[in-house]
Amino acid sequence: MATTYQCFLCRGTIDITSDDAMVVNVHRRISEDEWGDDWFVDAAKDTFRFCSQAHLAEYMERFPLPPPNGGVDDDDEMSFGDWVGCLALALLLLALLAGAVYGLVGLVSRLT
């Protein structure tokens, strides 16, 4: 079953095959290095669907944008769980490296 979309203004079903139909994304909280890009990874995004450009213009004139949702988390600090996870991963990698070195030394000693 095909998905149908409603216009944010008139709540009518949007004909997605029409050239008038549009999806509008509003990006906020864009990181400084992404301002020149066409693709935003860290931005908070709101998506709006309209059946025509006239409805987009009327909606944006009549209604304020909702508060930003999601987006960049300003807290770049690692939690205790993050530290424990990183430590466990480092210990696992160190054990694998030690096992590989031990195996290589054993192989070389048998061949000589």
Side-chain angles (χ1 to χ4, degrees):
M1 181 173 188
T3 304
T4 59
Y5 300 98
Q6 290 183 337
C7 177
F8 267 64
L9 182 67
C10 69
R11 298 294 178 207
T13 302
I14 298 173
D15 177 12
I16 59 173
T17 61
S18 167
D19 287 340
D20 293 331
M22 61 181 62
V23 176
V24 178
N25 288 320
V26 177
H27 295 270
R28 295 183 274 193
R29 296 184 184 157
I30 299 170
S31 65
E32 185 176 341
D33 58 336
E34 289 183 311
W35 270 96
D37 295 343
D38 293 332
W39 182 257
F40 306 108
V41 176
D42 294 330
K45 179 179 81 169
D46 293 302
T47 302
F48 302 91
R49 292 174 176 82
F50 297 97
C51 58
S52 68
Q53 184 175 353
H55 280 190
L56 164 63
E58 187 177 343
Y59 182 88
M60 291 299 162
E61 185 176 294
R62 288 175 42 189
F63 301 103
L65 290 173
N69 57 15
V72 178
D73 184 11
D74 292 333
D75 183 18
D76 289 337
E77 297 292 322
M78 289 178 62
S79 69
F80 179 73
D82 293 337
W83 281 106
V84 170
C86 286
L87 180 62
L89 184 60
L91 290 174
L92 177 67
L93 291 175
L94 185 61
L96 286 172
L97 180 64
V101 169
Y102 181 75
L104 182 63
V105 168
L107 181 65
V108 168
S109 66
R110 284 187 189 154
L111 293 177
T112 57

